[in-house]
Amino acid sequence: MTQPKASQKTSPQIPPKVTGLAHLFAAARYSLGGFQRLIAEAAARQELAIGGAAIILLWVLGAPGMQIGAFSILFLLLLAIEALNTAIEVLTDLVSPEWSQQAKHAKDLGSLAVALLIGANTACFAIILLSLLN
C-alpha cells in the first residue's frame, strides 16, 4: 500500500456514533468545541465582555434577580445567535469560496440577526437601568 503524497488530502475518519451516557459526554465535548471556536471571533469576545460587565453592573446596582435573570437569558440568546451567525459564515465560505451575491446575502442576514439581538439587549439593559433610577 502506498502512502498518499503530501499534496494529496486524506479524508478524516468519521467517528463512530455513540449512544446513551457516552452521547451526553460527546455532546458536551462538541459544545465546548463550539464555544472555543466562537470565542476565536472578536465580535463574540466583545459581546461576552460587555454582556458580562452589564450583568455584574446590574448586580452591583441592586437590580432585582428577575431583571438580572431576564437580561442574562437575553444575553445567552445573543451568544447563541452569534454562534449561528459564525456557523453560517464558515459554511458560506466553504461552499462559496469566491464572492457571490447569495453568499453576501447569507452573511448579511446572519449579521442582521446579531445586530437585532444586540439592540434588544441594549434596550433591556436601558429599561432595567431606568427602573433602578426611579
Side-chain angles (χ1 to χ4, degrees), residues 38 44 47 73-89 107 109-118 121:
L38 180 63
E47 291 157 1
I73 291 168
L74 195 59
F75 171 62
L76 290 174
L77 186 58
L78 171 61
L79 291 179
I81 295 300
E82 183 66 56
L84 291 174
N85 181 47
T86 300
I88 288 168
E89 290 178 355
K107 290 182 173 189
L109 288 166
S111 180
L112 173 63
V114 171
L116 291 172
L117 211 39
I118 288 172
N121 274 262

